[in-house]
Amino acid sequence: MIDSNFFVNNMLVPFSAALAGGVGADIVKPIFHVLDNWFYLTFGSKSDFKVSKEKLLQQNQLDIYQFELEKVHNIGTLKKEIIDELNIIEESNLVVPDKHILAKVMSNISIYLDVDETRRIFSKIIAASCDFSRKKTLHPADVDLLERLTASDINLLRTLYLSLGFALEVVPKGYAEFENSDNPCPVGIKDEELEKHFIFTSVEGEEEPNFAEGNYHVDMDQVVDSKHSPEDSIKLLQRMGLASSIDFNDFYQPLVVDIPEFVNSVSQKILETDEVLAYKQQLEDGFEACYLSVTTKIIQLTELGEHVCKIIFSDVQVPFVMTSDFDDFEIGIEMVRGE
């Protein structure tokens, strides 16, 4: 539709300057008119910057001058990101952005221009307010929620959004039986603790699974064991109400995946790793009867979490739509990924 690179080299020019001969110009012209007004109110114009630059040079305030140059560059980058997001939207869904959303974004954007992740989120919010299919569920309060997300939080949200509806938090633990005791007791090694494993049931870019009748069997080769611990991000998403965590034994929800079978296969694989086997040997050196087990939690996006994902992951059109029909004992899943 519109060449977004135009704004990299023409940072403070109006959105409408990119319309000449562009495909769909008549559709985006009213949108660009509104955006131009808000950007002018927030950042001023090219002539305003020229005057400011001359004053700074005359006063020999080179540090501030450099800061202003970076600011202008980031404004151009923001415009490019907005255009990139608008180009994803179907032309039939393009509408004039919501005033309340723009007011909320533009009142906060200046202090985040050099924070890439937050700036990109703001560009996605602006684009979502121009998308009829998302605008009706967008609320100004979403701006406050989304600006709190870090890059690691966003990566975790995307991984959960592209999973088969859940992920596992798996913690290997050792247990020992003591004399005159009918119940095993948890044991460990001082100053040493095995890392938690976070197992996601699908990886972005994987081919769509071939679902057979009944619950889908997830092959362990199709899952990803997180290479870094997203525990802090998971806790943050829970506090924000974007994700939930529940003990596996307390979990009951019909899913396309056979959860017990999957948990058992994951547990077995983790308990057979060299790291865990070495830990078990260390425990056996101190206790006569010792065995390993795992505790498992299910991590899922909440309804609010799914709402947020629809705003910031516009390249994923419909991540997963699960359907179940208990009368016919059928369960299925449809996955549609963005290009």
Side-chain angles (χ1 to χ4, degrees), residues 219-272:
D219 192 313
M220 284 301 298
D221 292 335
Q222 294 177 302
V223 305
V224 57
D225 188 353
S226 178
K227 294 180 176 62
H228 67 282
S229 174
E231 185 174 3
D232 290 339
S233 289
I234 288 175
K235 289 179 179 177
L236 176 65
L237 295 185
Q238 288 180 254
R239 290 199 302 269
M240 295 174 68
L242 302 180
S244 62
S245 176
I246 184 172
D247 289 338
F248 168 65
N249 292 332
D250 298 329
F251 178 83
Y252 177 76
Q253 180 178 334
L255 285 177
V256 69
V257 178
D258 188 331
I259 300 288
E261 177 186 355
F262 180 60
V263 170
N264 289 335
S265 61
V266 167
S267 300
Q268 188 63 32
K269 181 176 181 180
I270 290 177
L271 293 178
E272 291 175 351

Side-chain angles (χ1 to χ4, degrees), residues 181-220:
S181 174
D182 295 330
N183 298 316
C185 298
V187 295
I189 301 171
K190 185 177 180 181
D191 299 327
E192 184 175 347
E193 183 179 350
L194 288 172
E195 291 188 2
K196 294 181 180 179
H197 293 250
F198 293 89
I199 311 294
F200 298 93
T201 51
S202 183
V203 186
E204 184 178 3
E206 290 268 335
E207 294 183 1
E208 295 183 8
N210 180 21
F211 292 98
E213 294 182 3
N215 284 353
Y216 173 62
H217 171 73
V218 181
D219 192 313
M220 284 301 298

Side-chain angles (χ1 to χ4, degrees), residues 13 27 72 77 84 95 99 101 114 121 123 133 169 191 208 230 237-238 244 247 267 279 291 315 317 330:
V13 297
I27 298 174
V72 173
T77 303
D84 286 338
V95 293
K99 179 178 180 179
I101 298 296
D114 61 341
I121 282 183
S123 69
S133 65
E169 176 185 301
D191 299 327
E208 295 183 8
L237 295 185
Q238 288 180 254
S244 62
D247 289 338
S267 300
Y279 186 79
Y291 66 95
D315 56 322
Q317 296 174 355
E330 294 180 356

Side-chain angles (χ1 to χ4, degrees), residues 171-188:
V171 186
K173 291 185 177 180
Y175 293 85
E177 295 180 358
F178 296 95
E179 189 177 354
N180 301 323
S181 174
D182 295 330
N183 298 316
C185 298
V187 295

